[in-house]
Amino acid sequence: MNDTGHAPLTAADDNFHTLSDDPWETETCWFSFNVPERNLAGWLYAWVRPNLNNCGGGVFVYDDTGVASWDLPYFQYQHTQPLPAERDLRDFTFPNNYSVKMIEPLQRYKLFYKDREHITVDLEFNAIQPPHQFPKGAPPFDKSGHLDQAGHVTGTILLRGETLKVDCMATRDRSWGVRQDHRGSRLGYSFGTASASDSFCAFVLPQKLDAEGREVMYHGNLVRDGRVSSIKSGWRTVERDPKTNYITSMTIAGVDEEGRKFRVIGTVVSRMLFSVPRGTTLNSMLHWTFDNGVEFHGEDQDVWRYDQWRTAMDDLRKNA
């Protein structure tokens, strides 16, 4: 076991995992990308529920011109599709035409997606750091495995007749285990990568505050001077638009297992709302600045159950 309580990751973790007979066993495969000069970001995302013999997910691109799914440069999401009989995630095409091909285990992946004349995504993810595992038994992945990994993403996107060159630092993640649609929860997932020398990934519990009223960070990892270490403790403060509840900026600070302190300030440059059965996510692209002056881009996933979002909006209206 490593310091997260899991067995070390191996090449086998690029493939589908052996799961229990729980119908809610879920496996995910997610890659992000961005084009900073256009305030544009996007996802290639898929999930599989082998015990229910179905899968879903989608591809979307957002920028600073719209927030709702129907007002984005591109949005496609499927809530349930039949699961193909051929099930090797090292070379797999989902029913919506999103394909993942492993080139080098836990390192390089070829990504492709095409939807008629609307969009063609042809990218390659090349990891710049080892995958970082989430601690065993920690929320929200207390019953599942999870990894995050920063990488260099290159390639092109043909979007609505325009060819966009992609050459960015971005993040991928994978989860496997029980994930129930009706058990959503609040979560903050912030990340950004400048290079193999500087990056961070932080998970916070927005509903859990410290003595100074700041959101508590409960896990993450920091890369400084090329050294990767788990975050020991930290906090986050968030500024929101008083009318929409959209995040406008945030500050994240903490200390890692080596005792290195860090602080990063992010300003939102674009955003989108993304809804699934578990709840809604306010997904934001941010321009980040580390306390050492390094600037870079990344994202934040602001995850809510639907009732939690409505309560927050009711509070804003009362205080307007």
Side-chain angles (χ1 to χ4, degrees):
M1 296 291 178
N2 56 31
D3 60 0
T4 66
H6 293 282
L9 295 168
T10 69
D13 288 293
D14 275 327
N15 202 355
F16 292 113
H17 293 79
T18 301
L19 307 174
S20 73
D21 59 1
D22 189 308
W24 291 105
E25 286 282 12
T26 306
E27 183 121 17
T28 69
C29 182
W30 170 74
F31 290 85
S32 65
F33 59 87
N34 58 75
V35 183
E37 62 271 20
R38 295 284 292 267
N39 292 336
L40 181 147
W43 290 12
L44 298 113
Y45 172 68
W47 54 262
V48 170
R49 288 194 169 126
N51 296 335
L52 294 177
N53 201 38
N54 68 6
C55 59
V59 176
F60 46 81
V61 178
Y62 68 97
D63 60 13
D64 54 8
T65 63
V67 178
S69 57
W70 53 86
D71 200 24
L72 303 182
Y74 182 80
F75 183 89
Q76 179 274 130
Y77 192 89
Q78 300 296 324
H79 289 282
T80 182
Q81 293 184 312
L83 182 60
E86 187 69 30
R87 300 179 187 178
D88 188 337
L89 195 53
R90 295 165 297 185
D91 190 358
F92 192 78
T93 299
F94 293 90
N96 67 350
N97 205 33
Y98 162 36
S99 67
V100 180
K101 184 174 184 178
M102 182 271 290
I103 306 299
E104 184 178 344
L106 300 175
Q107 179 69 32
R108 290 179 59 204
Y109 306 87
K110 182 69 174 175
L111 312 170
F112 185 82
Y113 174 75
K114 182 177 177 61
D115 178 9
R116 295 162 291 177
E117 74 280 6
H118 303 312
I119 190 171
T120 301
V121 179
D122 189 359
L123 301 175
E124 182 174 306
F125 177 98
N126 195 343
I128 60 172
Q129 299 159 8
H132 184 88
Q133 287 181 281
F134 197 86
K136 191 172 184 178
F141 306 109
D142 53 330
K143 295 182 180 180
S144 62
H146 179 88
L147 67 84
D148 301 275
Q149 186 173 33
H152 184 200
V153 181
T154 56
T156 59
I157 299 174
L158 179 61
L159 178 63
R160 300 164 66 93
E162 179 184 9
T163 299
L164 301 175
K165 181 181 178 181
V166 177
D167 186 354
C168 69
M169 297 297 174
T171 296
R172 78 174 184 109
D173 79 12
R174 295 261 281 117
S175 296
W176 54 95
V178 176
R179 180 183 294 193
Q180 298 177 342
D181 275 351
H182 53 286
R183 293 285 181 88
S185 62
R186 283 288 281 125
L187 170 68
Y189 175 38
S190 309
F191 54 89
T193 303
S195 67
S197 297
D198 291 280
S199 72
F200 81 98
C201 176
F203 292 85
V204 302
L205 293 173
Q207 70 274 31
K208 185 176 181 180
L209 306 179
D210 65 14
E212 298 183 39
R214 303 171 302 194
E215 298 174 356
V216 174
M217 188 189 317
Y218 61 97
H219 184 62
N221 65 82
L222 173 70
V223 179
R224 273 285 168 86
D225 302 320
R227 299 200 316 275
V228 184
S229 179
S230 293
I231 294 174
K232 183 178 181 180
S233 63
W235 53 263
R236 184 178 80 166
T237 59
V238 176
E239 298 293 328
R240 294 180 182 272
D241 184 284
K243 293 183 178 180
T244 64
N245 201 38
Y246 297 165
I247 293 174
T248 57
S249 64
M250 66 176 64
T251 300
I252 297 173
V255 58
D256 72 0
E257 296 287 354
E258 295 185 14
R260 300 179 298 176
K261 295 181 178 180
F262 75 97
R263 181 187 294 256
V264 59
I265 297 174
T267 301
V268 173
V269 298
S270 58
R271 59 178 67 86
M272 66 164 287
L273 281 168
F274 170 52
S275 297
V276 295
R278 291 168 62 88
T280 191
T281 298
L282 174 64
N283 203 62
S284 302
M285 180 181 179
L286 293 98
H287 176 268
W288 297 104
T289 304
F290 259 136
D291 47 12
N292 60 5
V294 173
E295 298 182 41
F296 52 105
H297 287 82
E299 293 185 72
D300 173 74
Q301 297 176 25
D302 187 33
V303 182
W304 301 70
R305 290 198 318 262
Y306 290 110
D307 63 294
Q308 293 170 332
W309 182 271
R310 175 66 192 206
T311 298
M313 293 301 298
D314 285 343
D315 290 342
L316 290 179
R317 284 186 277 267
K318 290 176 184 177
N319 297 324

